Amino acid sequence: MEFREVEVSGGIRIAAHLSGDAALPPMVLLHALGERADDWAAVGARFASSYRVVALDLRGHGRSDWPGDYGFELMRDDVIGALDALGLREVVLVGHSMGGVVAYLVAQARPDRVARLVIEDACPPYPRSRPVPTRPDGPLDFDWAAAPAISAEVGDPTRRWWPALAEITAPTLVLGGGPTSHVPQDLLAEVAELIPDCTLVTVPAGHEIHRARPDEFAETVLGWLRQS
């Protein structure tokens, strides 16, 4: 495992954890709120046999900077900046939950940089009521300020990022967690209808498919990548 820090817009430092042969095609992994790059450890090793895997700590998480200012578009810009700094082109971009929303936005903003898009149980923000979370006791691996900031954005009443799903040019795989996930699965079906080239697969394992069923998650993603 190789570790690098790269500087993006505003002087923010983003931590990148790299594995796999540098000559292989790049795959970039984006984690959920409150997680960090090593959340992908169970599946990252599988991916590293075929890809140069780059797992990022998003701003406010893990070993990246904790600037106190958080939002999906800020994270989108950080990821694009990290791709630039690392010289990554035509990546397979994989995102879970919060990282999935960021991945949608990157694919919308920079279609030239995303060759394939994989979304795990996430849809763009939609109107909903979500209580402000209470901070857990004890030290955390992320800046708690990110939690209320992201929670405020996920209930966006305008659905302003949904129309741009039609502009995503990358072949896309959306993995839904099924009925035990808190994400409405009918919204994932709507996402699949809006993205021009999209495959929707349900793995009934709940919201954290890559943790609950790492082998099935990895096999589903790698199988789709071989065929797409």
Side-chain angles (χ1 to χ4, degrees):
M1 178 74 70
E2 177 187 349
F3 173 75
R4 290 180 60 182
E5 283 186 346
V6 296
E7 187 171 310
V8 300
S9 178
I12 301 297
R13 292 174 302 166
I14 298 296
H17 306 255
L18 303 96
S19 58
D21 192 314
L24 292 171
M27 174 185 282
V28 177
L29 308 179
L30 307 179
H31 60 76
L33 176 66
E35 301 294 347
R36 53 194 301 171
D38 60 9
D39 179 58
W40 295 104
V43 295
R46 289 283 303 276
F47 293 147
S49 63
S50 303
Y51 291 88
R52 175 63 160 171
V53 176
V54 182
L56 300 179
D57 287 334
L58 295 170
R59 71 161 57 200
H61 293 74
R63 296 169 70 175
S64 289
D65 281 349
W66 298 15
D69 192 12
Y70 302 106
F72 288 122
E73 290 177 329
L74 290 170
M75 291 178 177
R76 172 201 65 194
D77 294 344
D78 291 343
V79 171
I80 294 170
L83 297 181
D84 290 339
L86 293 166
L88 299 178
R89 303 287 187 273
E90 298 186 346
V91 305
V92 175
L93 185 60
V94 182
H96 172 229
S97 196
M98 178 186 76
V101 178
V102 176
Y104 283 126
L105 299 187
V106 172
Q108 290 170 1
R110 293 300 305 270
D112 57 312
R113 306 303 289 275
V114 181
R116 299 288 186 275
L117 179 65
V118 178
I119 303 293
E120 180 187 356
D121 210 49
C123 62
Y126 60 93
R128 56 176 157 163
S129 297
R130 183 168 178 172
V132 177
T134 301
R135 188 193 188 284
D137 294 332
L140 301 173
D141 284 338
F142 72 107
D143 186 353
W144 179 251
I150 293 298
S151 293
E153 287 198 345
V154 297
D156 173 31
T158 68
R159 296 205 353 164
R160 61 193 175 101
W161 290 311
W162 284 77
L165 290 173
E167 300 171 10
I168 293 177
T169 57
T172 301
L173 172 65
V174 175
L175 290 133
T180 59
S181 169
H182 70 271
V183 176
Q185 301 296 290
D186 60 323
L187 291 183
L188 298 184
E190 185 177 348
V191 167
E193 289 292 327
L194 290 169
I195 296 176
D197 183 355
C198 187
T199 301
L200 175 61
V201 175
T202 298
V203 179
H207 186 54
E208 297 187 344
I209 306 166
H210 71 284
R211 282 188 174 185
R213 299 190 188 177
D215 290 340
E216 186 173 355
F217 180 87
E219 288 167 7
T220 301
V221 171
L222 291 171
W224 176 80
L225 288 169
R226 285 192 293 267
Q227 296 172 7
S228 65

